[in-house]
Amino acid sequence: MSSLVFSNFYPAKITESDINKVLLDLIKQSSRIIIASGYISNDAIVEINKIVENNTDKIKELSIFIGMHYIEGFTKQQYYSCVKLNELLISKNIGGIYVSPTMKFHGKIYSFVSEEGIHTSLIGSANLSSFIQNLERTYETMLIAKDDELAKDIYDKNQKIFDKLGVRIDSAEAIQEEDFIKSRIDLSSFDNVSKIDQTEISKILDQDSEYCFKVEVKTEEKSNLNAFFGKGRVNTRGFEVPRPWYEVEIVVSNRVTTLPGYPKDKTFKVVTMDGWVFECKTQGDYSKNLRSTVSLSILGKWLKGHLEMSGCLKTGEMVTDQVLSDYGRNHLTLRSTSQPDLWIMEF
């Protein structure tokens, strides 16, 4: 049985479900997973790493073939996330991460086998990015084949891609430091996020601020910047899905929230030093929770992205006091502007 599934973003809601939900449901239900993707995101890899750690008894095979990055280039975060996941998969004898040193592969093929032996395969346009909470606004489409000869044929041919083109990443020549692509914080594919040019940034930053608040960035093990390490969602099969890597909510001390001028129980826009503009809000008791609207991952990707780019934080590792010390800052700053609902955010 074959059908199409789309990203289903408004206003093009075409199918009953969406790609993200379909992929996540299949991962929860499957004991064998093989994926061939042109490109990957580092947060997708670290989230899969966490899934394997949480569900060792349920995953019998998991292998990922990455078709473009070895030739076009990895960021340091992508590469080391892949190396770490590869080591985990090898240690559990259930698979590995494969690259393509001889030619670029741009396909996107996902194959799953359930505990009952039911094959489901998807082929289409979606690269392997975070499927736990992917709010990026690139519209994709995939063909789903389930429990038929086509699904099994796609699974068999997917395995042949690994055999013909794949080299396990620990057997391929290691990427040298000077060959990594420079990483950058890119929030452009999130909904309701924009970027202003340097002239506009300067005009805003040159304004005098009536209010300025120093908000401590806390390093609790399972909250704030480390929400990823908290308890995930568990289904009836006992399969645990972690929280997204970039999910962040800052808990602000009441020593700050009770100060005059603090934006209590408000929704407002922030402009960052690098020109990103997105919406945040304060909520909860004493307005202690500071978060981005639409997705907690917007603020999280901006904050953790700075730590990753600086080299102080490796994707998938906990933010500690030492990480912040290495970064040289353990707080973010909120400064008011002449516009009541626009604040400057610095980190």
Side-chain angles (χ1 to χ4, degrees):
M1 181 179 68
S2 301
S3 60
L4 283 174
V5 64
F6 295 85
S7 294
N8 253 16
F9 298 136
Y10 177 84
K13 292 190 174 183
I14 298 170
T15 50
E16 189 172 316
S17 191
D18 59 72
I19 292 172
N20 243 38
K21 186 177 186 308
V22 167
L23 285 176
L24 187 54
D25 286 347
L26 284 168
I27 286 170
K28 292 176 185 176
Q29 298 162 11
S30 300
S31 60
R32 301 188 180 278
I33 304 165
I34 59 171
I35 298 171
S37 179
Y39 298 99
I40 54 92
S41 67
N42 63 312
D43 51 329
I45 295 298
V46 77
E47 288 162 6
I48 291 172
N49 194 303
K50 190 72 169 175
I51 284 172
V52 174
E53 289 177 345
N54 292 346
N55 302 282
T56 302
D57 58 327
K58 297 175 182 63
I59 298 174
K60 308 304 179 188
E61 178 187 9
L62 197 160
S63 291
I64 299 171
F65 172 82
I66 303 165
M68 299 294 285
H69 285 295
Y70 193 83
I71 293 176
E72 289 197 351
F74 281 97
T75 66
K76 184 186 286 190
Q77 293 94 332
Q78 288 171 332
Y79 183 71
Y80 286 118
S81 295
C82 289
V83 168
K84 183 179 178 181
L85 176 56
N86 183 63
E87 290 171 351
L88 176 65
L89 295 172
I90 291 171
S91 71
K92 297 186 178 301
N93 197 31
I94 59 173
I97 303 297
Y98 294 77
V99 293
S100 182
T102 56
M103 67 175 64
K104 292 189 278 189
F105 173 87
H106 199 250
K108 296 92 179 176
I109 308 172
Y110 300 76
S111 297
F112 304 88
V113 183
S114 70
E115 290 178 332
E116 297 76 27
I118 297 172
H119 284 70
T120 304
S121 293
L122 292 84
I123 185 166
S125 66
N127 282 302
L128 180 57
S129 57
S130 176
F131 44 80
I132 294 176
Q133 189 188 44
N134 186 4
L135 296 179
E136 296 186 1
R137 301 292 287 181
T138 303
Y139 202 95
E140 309 285 2
T141 184
M142 304 288 282
L143 174 72
I144 307 174
K146 182 174 182 179
D147 198 22
D148 58 13
E149 288 305 313
L150 178 59
K152 293 178 183 177
D153 187 53
I154 293 173
Y155 181 91
D156 292 340
K157 288 184 169 59
N158 203 0
Q159 288 187 312
K160 288 180 180 178
I161 292 167
F162 285 74
D163 297 338
K164 301 290 186 182
L165 296 178
V167 175
R168 209 171 66 188
I169 197 166
D170 58 304
S171 299
E173 184 178 348
I175 307 295
Q176 301 303 307
E177 184 77 23
E178 62 271 17
D179 294 325
F180 286 125
I181 295 173
K182 185 176 180 180
S183 59
R184 61 192 178 92
I185 297 172
D186 185 1
L187 307 179
S188 60
S189 53
F190 283 105
D191 201 17
N192 293 337
V193 176
S194 59
K195 193 168 190 183
I196 58 176
D197 61 30
Q198 192 58 50
T199 302
E200 291 180 89
I201 296 171
S202 298
K203 286 180 181 177
I204 295 171
L205 297 184
D206 287 345
Q207 296 179 22
D208 292 331
S209 297
E210 182 178 1
Y211 301 107
C212 182
F213 303 101
K214 184 185 285 189
V215 177
E216 181 186 1
V217 176
K218 300 174 183 177
T219 57
E220 277 90 349
E221 291 187 357
K222 297 181 180 181
S223 62
N224 286 275
L225 290 184
N226 292 317
F228 174 71
F229 298 96
K231 182 69 174 176
R233 297 182 299 277
V234 182
N235 69 1
T236 54
R237 184 185 169 216
F239 194 100
E240 183 178 343
V241 177
R243 297 165 78 174
W245 164 245
Y246 286 119
E247 182 177 301
V248 160
E249 185 171 41
I250 303 298
V251 179
V252 185
S253 167
N254 63 5
R255 293 192 303 272
V256 174
T257 62
T258 54
L259 291 172
Y262 187 79
K264 297 178 183 177
D265 295 316
K266 285 188 177 180
T267 298
F268 53 91
K269 285 190 175 181
V270 299
V271 57
T272 67
M273 300 293 290
D274 43 355
W276 293 106
V277 181
F278 53 89
E279 195 174 71
C280 287
K281 65 180 178 180
T282 56
Q283 62 181 41
D285 295 338
Y286 309 105
S287 297
K288 67 178 182 179
N289 302 112
L290 173 63
R291 58 186 293 177
S292 48
T293 64
V294 180
S295 168
L296 301 182
S297 295
I298 296 173
L299 177 58
K301 191 167 186 177
W302 185 74
L303 289 170
K304 281 187 165 181
H306 278 288
L307 296 173
E308 290 170 332
M309 281 202 315
S310 70
C312 301
L313 176 67
K314 288 184 178 179
T315 307
E317 295 189 357
M318 195 169 290
V319 180
T320 63
D321 290 340
Q322 186 60 55
V323 168
L324 297 179
S325 177
D326 292 343
Y327 182 67
R329 191 178 178 115
N330 65 354
H331 65 275
L332 61 84
T333 303
L334 278 178
R335 289 201 289 127
S336 63
T337 70
S338 58
Q339 302 175 50
D341 293 324
L342 180 67
W343 291 73
I344 298 164
M345 182 177 283
E346 301 168 314
F347 179 61

